[in-house]
Amino acid sequence: MNAVLDRRAILKAGGALTVAFSVGLAPRGAAAWTEKPVATDEVATFLSIDAHGAVTVHIGKVDLGTGVRTGFMQIAADELDVPMARVTVIEGDTALTPDQGPTYGSLSIQNGGVQLRAACATARRELLRLAAERLRAEPASLRVEDGVVIGAQGRVSYAELVGGRALDLKVDTNAPIKPPEARRIVGRAVPRVDIPDKVFGRFRYVYDVRRDGMLHGRTVFPPALGATVETLDEGSVRGIPGVVRVVREGNYVGVVAETEWAAIKAARALSVRWSSWAGLPEQARIWEHVRATPVAQVQVTSDRGNPGEAIRGAAKTLSATYDFPIHSHASMGPSCAVAEFAGGRLTVWTASQATHNLRKQLGLMLGMPIEQIRCIYLEGSGCYGRNGHEDAAADAALLARAVGRPVRLQWMRQDEHAWDPKGPPHLVDLRAGLDAQGNIVGWESEAFIPKGAGGNVDLTTAELAGLPRENQIHPGNIIHNLAVPYTFPAVKTTCHRLDSTPFRPSWIRTPGRMQNTYANEAFIDECAAAAGADPIAYRLRYLPADDPRGREVLERVARLANWQTRPSPQSDRSGEILRGRGVSYCKYELVRTYVAGVAEVEVNRRTGAIRVTRFWCTHDCGQMINPDGVKAQVEGNIVHTLSRTFKEELTFSRSAVTSVDWSTYQVITMPEVPEIIVELIDRPTERPWGSGEPAAAIVPSAVSNAIFDATGVRMRSIPYTPAKMRAAIQGA
């Protein structure tokens, strides 16, 4: 994957610094480092041009299957005026790429792509300057075609201009980028470069890494989350051919073998007696547990007027509580990593979406300087947040250190479901007051969510082994979108940050933003129903006059879905199959991407079965690099979140997770996917924003509102199972 070259040797040979890379190929050669800038203010950090004019992009963000690799190639090719076929990408390699933060929060294009574009614009300006000197012309009189600068006096290629020099100059964030009318690749639908190899089975994932002398490892997890080792009989696996070693460090237990099957058999056969532990709350009383958890911090996310007084004096008052359960990441492929120690250095091949952070965590755990650790990104099976990939990397590193050979470590299915970090339980209380005309005069909400710190999920490996770790509770930054995008005269939104949470928490797609938007957008529908108003017209009543983009996505989704203006619920709710539609709106984090959606549902009154038949979505993420990629992200958000809305819920006993496979932790199936209609709003003169998360935020509330429209019954507790729906209808 990375053929590491000596920079000085290349420069002496007359070529620019470049690093050979082939997307998706398994790594070969020794784990090593190259001398290369990685500071985010250096052009050479982000790109290089070789003696043949090929461009290599180095980016700290990684493609988790979302298509951003193609987007980065489009940005570089367009800004430099070279064919996309001449651009390759190195991503997430801590020795070769800048630390641009983890790949999360829909920030890959918005931040990482913008930084890359600035570097490319700076490079292009410098190349034109060099060409003008060579051709004795003014830079403004020159044009570039396929990496060749052309003027009246002649032409010169980028490769010729480099002249044995790297692009050693600072990134100028004010360097002029191409105007929309000059772009030929950005803004166009471009097929993803990774799809052909994935379709035809040629793509190489982290699971496919092989190293000379590599062994296979498995972690032996405790049967209870807090259990400790009492006795361990290494002799219990001596009869299994190929077993190399049993590794124990503290309460971490692992096995290493010559083959993967031998490692699996040894992990199953190893005799370990564990202590008993039953420290989890009762699942049936999870929300009582959440409310009883000590509060570590109170964060007020919006505060205007005196909503308490306004609600007390209102003509009509409403209150509701919405809850969102604990979720697993439930990655389709279990977490995997390969670790190798050589020459006092550690190299880890990993699907982590935060390789630079993982490097620091491994350094802390192992007591190594981070300069001696290299993390190389290779795609896994996707994660939608920090799942078990970091833990698998730590497992592999611990075992490789113990045996002195490269180790490939893969979790089993039950390990992934039981031990990946979880999306924490999320509870929101809401209150509102309406005047005699149905206007909202006061709004209050309180969310109960874990406290947050830092940007890493604690490593289970370090915890079990008793090795140094950050020992922080996560995730942070899940308070967004509790504050509403509407201009209520009096409003206060408060987050109670809890001191603890039952499971090791992590981010899962649209963390916090989904849960808070769900509560807000369902509750404003409750207010609209109480006011006898159409749900879309009611929202438009409160959108800020100086924010027309929010109004536009709502008005356009109404046209897209052929919305019939009327109050909700439907007046005719007879028959066994009830039909309805519901709307939802989100301005992501109140500062970027605008999304609106309409869900259409059918509810079987007798069985409680709910089916989403169609889902319409309008989406404004500013300038789009690849509209086809944006559309795929929106569709993926909708499908994934419908799964979370109807199917997914962690189950557990007092000691352990019990939903450890696909029958006990169910996800959406293809026949359950509705027709999805997406309308993208392109704004080529605006800043590009993210599309990897925002559309997910509107799905649960749109579904909740559609169910109410169909049945007149409010569903406030996800997942919306047939049993819950049937009980609600019967109760009503």
Side-chain angles (χ1 to χ4, degrees), residues 548-557 559 618 681 683:
R549 291 168 73 172
R551 180 174 296 273
E552 183 174 348
V553 293
L554 268 171
E555 291 174 340
R556 288 176 69 153
V557 84
R559 291 194 296 270
T618 49
I681 303 173
R683 302 192 185 274

Side-chain angles (χ1 to χ4, degrees), residues 312-325:
R312 285 190 295 272
K316 183 180 291 187
T317 61
L318 294 85
S319 63
T321 295
Y322 285 82
D323 63 63
F324 201 96

Side-chain angles (χ1 to χ4, degrees), residues 508-586:
I508 299 183
R509 198 175 207 167
T510 326
R513 293 84 158 171
M514 175 193 293
Q515 292 86 339
N516 293 327
T517 300
Y518 160 53
N520 286 340
E521 285 295 301
F523 193 58
I524 195 173
D525 243 56
E526 295 198 41
C527 294
D534 174 78
I536 290 182
Y538 201 68
R539 285 168 171 80
L540 291 171
R541 187 187 304 183
Y542 296 106
L543 281 181
D546 60 351
D547 196 2
R549 291 168 73 172
R551 180 174 296 273
E552 183 174 348
V553 293
L554 268 171
E555 291 174 340
R556 288 176 69 153
V557 84
R559 291 194 296 270
L560 188 67
N562 193 27
W563 181 268
Q564 303 301 309
T565 301
R566 60 168 173 79
S568 191
Q570 300 241 35
S571 56
D572 180 9
R573 299 195 294 278
S574 59
E576 183 174 307
I577 304 299
L578 307 178
R579 295 175 177 84
R581 80 286 186 270
V583 67
S584 184
Y585 165 74
C586 176

Side-chain angles (χ1 to χ4, degrees), residues 233-258:
D233 179 11
E234 295 189 21
S236 59
V237 296
R238 284 185 186 143
I240 300 174
V243 173
V244 174
R245 185 171 170 185
V246 174
V247 177
R248 178 191 172 187
E249 189 152 354
N251 294 305
Y252 177 85
V253 178
V255 295
V256 183
E258 295 287 350

Side-chain angles (χ1 to χ4, degrees), residues 317-384:
T317 61
L318 294 85
S319 63
T321 295
Y322 285 82
D323 63 63
F324 201 96
I326 305 169
H327 278 175
S328 280
H329 289 82
S331 295
M332 298 302 287
S335 298
C336 179
V338 175
E340 177 180 9
F341 284 86
R345 290 172 164 178
L346 167 65
T347 302
V348 177
W349 290 265
T350 172
S352 167
Q353 65 190 86
T355 51
H356 287 85
N357 284 8
L358 174 61
R359 181 191 190 202
K360 298 168 189 173
Q361 288 184 283
L362 293 175
L364 177 63
M365 183 184 85
L366 300 172
M368 293 178 63
I370 63 170
E371 293 78 17
Q372 296 176 4
I373 300 172
R374 179 182 186 180
C375 295
I376 300 173
Y377 176 77
L378 285 168
E379 277 192 51
S381 61
C383 47
Y384 307 113

Side-chain angles (χ1 to χ4, degrees), residues 139 256 264 330 391 409 506 599 604 630 662 692:
V256 183
I264 293 171
D391 295 305
L409 185 289
S506 177
N604 187 305
V630 173
W662 297 117

Side-chain angles (χ1 to χ4, degrees), residues 89-341:
V89 179
I90 294 176
E91 57 198 66
D93 184 332
T94 59
L96 303 176
T97 67
D99 184 355
Q100 296 173 286
T103 302
Y104 60 9
S106 292
L107 296 172
S108 292
I109 294 296
Q110 180 174 320
N111 289 358
V114 167
Q115 289 176 310
L116 173 63
R117 174 180 271 172
C120 291
T122 304
R124 187 177 190 276
R125 185 178 62 186
E126 176 66 7
L127 289 164
L128 282 172
R129 187 189 68 80
L130 293 172
E133 289 182 356
R134 178 81 64 93
L135 300 174
R136 301 182 183 278
E138 290 297 320
S141 68
L142 304 175
R143 71 181 192 277
V144 183
E145 293 181 8
D146 293 344
V148 177
V149 184
I150 302 170
Q153 298 83 351
R155 58 178 59 204
V156 59
S157 69
Y158 284 167
E160 293 173 289
L161 288 170
V162 168
R165 292 179 292 125
L167 296 167
D168 289 330
L169 63 156
K170 296 292 184 182
V171 174
D172 180 2
T173 56
N174 295 315
I177 63 173
K178 278 189 176 182
E181 62 273 12
R183 297 171 191 153
R184 294 182 297 172
I185 303 174
V186 164
R188 307 288 177 87
V190 172
R192 278 174 47 175
V193 296
D194 55 320
I195 295 299
D197 280 353
K198 288 178 176 177
V199 168
F200 292 105
R202 298 188 297 259
F203 197 83
R204 294 296 181 264
Y205 294 89
V206 69
Y207 308 96
D208 303 312
V209 173
R210 297 294 181 267
R211 304 295 296 167
D212 292 341
M214 187 180 79
L215 301 173
H216 295 267
R218 282 294 188 277
T219 296
V220 180
F221 286 97
L225 293 181
T228 58
V229 176
E230 292 185 339
T231 62
L232 187 155
D233 179 11
E234 295 189 21
S236 59
V237 296
R238 284 185 186 143
I240 300 174
V243 173
V244 174
R245 185 171 170 185
V246 174
V247 177
R248 178 191 172 187
E249 189 152 354
N251 294 305
Y252 177 85
V253 178
V255 295
V256 183
E258 295 287 350
T259 67
E260 186 170 17
W261 180 232
I264 293 171
K265 289 195 292 184
R268 291 172 177 171
L270 185 65
S271 177
V272 188
R273 190 174 75 207
W274 301 90
S275 67
S276 60
W277 183 87
L280 292 174
E282 294 180 45
Q283 182 169 4
R285 304 180 67 181
I286 183 62
W287 302 116
E288 295 175 44
H289 173 82
V290 168
R291 290 191 186 279
T293 302
V295 175
Q297 180 188 14
V298 175
Q299 291 176 280
V300 177
T301 58
S302 66
D303 192 1
R304 182 173 63 251
N306 191 332
E309 182 178 320
I311 293 170
R312 285 190 295 272
K316 183 180 291 187
T317 61
L318 294 85
S319 63
T321 295
Y322 285 82
D323 63 63
F324 201 96
I326 305 169
H327 278 175
S328 280
H329 289 82
S331 295
M332 298 302 287
S335 298
C336 179
V338 175
E340 177 180 9
F341 284 86

